[in-house]
Amino acid sequence: MMIDRSRVTSVTKNYRFWRTTGLAAFLGLFLAGFSAGCVTAEPLVAEPGTTLASLTVLEARQAPPATPQTVRWGGTIVDVTNTEDNKTRVEIVSRPLQRSGRPINDDRTDGRFIAEFNEFLDPEIYTTGRDLSVIGTVADTVEGRIGNTSYRFPLLQVTNYRYWKPLPPQRQHPHYPFHDHYYHDPFWHDRYHHDGLYGYGRIILHP
Amino acid sequence: MLSATILMFLAACASGPIKTEDTFTSITLEQALAANESASGEVLWGGVILSTTNLENSTLLEILAYPLDRRQRPMKSRKPEGRFLIVEEGFLEPTDYSDGRSITVRGALDGATSGNIAEASYEYPTVKADELHLWRPGDDYVAPRFTIGIGFEL
């Protein structure tokens, strides 16, 4: 069979073109993937025109507010109870909140409160240990118990809420047992390992 | 000026988060277990929380004790020394003071409390907490590891 030499392209001429295009494509996908990972949930903010009161969980525990206050509180779910009138009471360990409303989990707490929802929340979906932030009105407190401690829980009637996805854990760099590569570029032509797309002396035919 | 700087460095080198007098030496859990009801004095102990119980006006923590390192952290890779109880006035959030977390306490040893570990009866030395430090997972004790590697150059 005769090879039409005009159609044979040497490796060296196209190698650079494909390498650059490939690298650009790889970087593009990498950046897209990276920024997708950086996208965070929508913050929980008050309705425009509403101002949130600065009443803290601690203050509300000590004495129920004289007038109903609209606040934004949040923290970790410890219990979800569905009541007969199609409401749900969620017991929450309060935490300091970031600007977005997301709870900060670092052992600081102002105590527990109960958020009451006018709908059914499934305890299989809203689970113990997950973070939940709520906006609503606090008007009174509910007596209850934590273990054998009698506890006064502020009661918040929820108007808006955000159920936060857990943040991905900080990842350690995986240690490959035989190579110490921390960066793998599939288009890097490695003369010693021949694992790139281009080996020595390959000929590429173009239509 | 120089001596002040040196003093600052020395102070910074001193141990962990719980401040103690320079002359302070804690009685060990072993001594307390031997002395039982008559044990008393100020102690600095630490370990891992086994359970948290919220009582009417106080919180009880059951601790598996470990020796403390220079930063007052319980060394979980060593052999446990025994168990003791911490009594803290008021409410401690069990979600934070949870099983498995490391804690260090300075307080007054106040006799022993009878309890059970499975079917065995146990006299828990009881510490009335003055100062508690709950260790963050990121700041916790890590056992020293030794590795040997072989390298070659091309």
Side-chain angles (χ1 to χ4, degrees):
Chain A
M1 183 182 121
M2 284 274 292
I3 296 173
D4 181 350
R5 285 191 178 271
S6 64
R7 288 172 50 210
V8 171
T9 316
S10 75
V11 172
T12 40
K13 262 204 203 139
N14 280 299
Y15 159 75
R16 282 209 189 86
F17 168 73
W18 285 108
R19 182 187 160 184
T20 322
T21 318
L23 194 60
F26 175 75
L27 277 175
L29 281 171
F30 176 80
L31 283 171
F34 186 76
S35 23
C38 283
V39 166
T40 49
E42 214 182 291
L44 179 66
V45 288
E47 296 293 313
T50 332
T51 38
L52 296 171
S54 60
L55 180 73
T56 64
V57 178
L58 188 59
E59 287 163 357
R61 274 176 54 212
Q62 285 157 351
T67 53
Q69 308 272 322
T70 305
V71 291
R72 184 183 70 170
W73 289 347
T76 317
I77 298 173
V78 287
D79 185 67
V80 176
T81 307
N82 305 115
T83 53
E84 275 178 350
D85 45 1
N86 216 35
K87 295 188 183 193
T88 310
R89 284 194 171 182
V90 182
E91 185 177 334
I92 297 175
V93 175
S94 71
R95 298 284 181 210
L97 303 181
Q98 295 176 24
R99 283 244 305 255
S100 62
R102 184 189 271 273
I104 302 170
N105 283 303
D106 64 356
D107 298 339
R108 284 180 292 165
T109 181
D110 258 0
R112 296 190 183 184
F113 69 96
I114 292 181
E116 187 166 77
F117 295 75
N118 273 327
E119 55 178 307
F120 171 78
L121 291 186
D122 195 335
E124 292 291 317
I125 297 173
Y126 294 84
T127 52
T128 306
R130 289 279 301 268
D131 289 343
L132 178 67
S133 296
V134 292
I135 290 181
T137 39
V138 182
D140 45 21
T141 57
V142 176
E143 294 294 325
R145 296 197 90 80
I146 302 175
N148 283 331
T149 313
S150 48
Y151 201 88
R152 180 190 273 168
F153 297 87
L155 184 64
L156 184 151
Q157 299 294 338
V158 179
T159 50
N160 198 2
Y161 63 99
R162 195 72 76 239
Y163 184 45
W164 302 97
K165 281 219 178 88
L167 291 167
Q170 298 284 50
R171 282 196 347 184
Q172 302 279 13
H173 252 299
H175 246 276
Y176 301 100
F178 304 107
H179 307 280
D180 229 343
H181 297 147
Y182 286 98
Y183 173 72
H184 178 66
D185 177 348
F187 295 95
W188 172 250
H189 177 58
D190 190 334
R191 269 187 301 164
Y192 298 109
H193 292 112
H194 294 270
D195 58 359
L197 286 180
Y198 302 97
Y200 248 161
R202 256 199 232 153
I203 298 172
I204 296 154
L205 291 167
H206 286 274
Chain B
M1 188 58 206
L2 182 64
S3 52
T5 321
I6 292 172
L7 273 175
M8 270 170 58
F9 276 117
L10 282 176
C13 288
S15 47
I18 296 178
K19 297 287 164 276
T20 54
E21 299 291 317
D22 287 335
T23 51
F24 172 74
T25 44
S26 173
I27 81 167
T28 65
L29 182 57
E30 206 183 326
Q31 292 169 322
L33 284 167
N36 207 0
E37 283 296 321
S38 57
S40 67
E42 206 185 353
V43 298
L44 179 69
W45 289 345
V48 161
I49 298 175
L50 293 176
S51 69
T52 307
T53 311
N54 297 113
L55 301 177
E56 192 56 52
N57 291 311
S58 59
T59 309
L60 221 58
L61 302 172
E62 183 186 356
I63 310 291
L64 182 64
Y66 287 99
L68 301 179
D69 69 1
R70 281 178 2 151
R71 284 199 51 210
Q72 295 173 343
R73 294 178 301 186
M75 292 188 283
K76 299 183 286 190
S77 56
R78 298 274 193 93
K79 189 158 160 276
E81 298 175 315
R83 298 188 188 195
F84 66 98
L85 290 179
I86 298 176
V87 178
E88 163 83 359
E89 292 302 307
F91 176 78
L92 288 178
E93 176 58 62
T95 316
D96 294 331
Y97 290 82
S98 55
D99 301 1
R101 286 196 66 173
S102 295
I103 192 168
T104 303
V105 63
R106 179 181 63 82
L109 183 56
D110 186 31
T113 308
S114 301
N116 288 306
I117 301 173
E119 289 177 358
S121 61
Y122 191 84
E123 295 294 316
Y124 292 87
T126 306
V127 179
K128 284 189 141 43
D130 287 327
E131 219 182 314
L132 272 178
H133 185 88
L134 183 67
W135 294 95
R136 300 262 192 88
D139 199 23
D140 209 347
Y141 176 76
V142 174
R145 284 190 306 242
F146 300 98
T147 54
I148 297 175
I150 298 173
F152 62 92
E153 233 182 273
L154 287 168

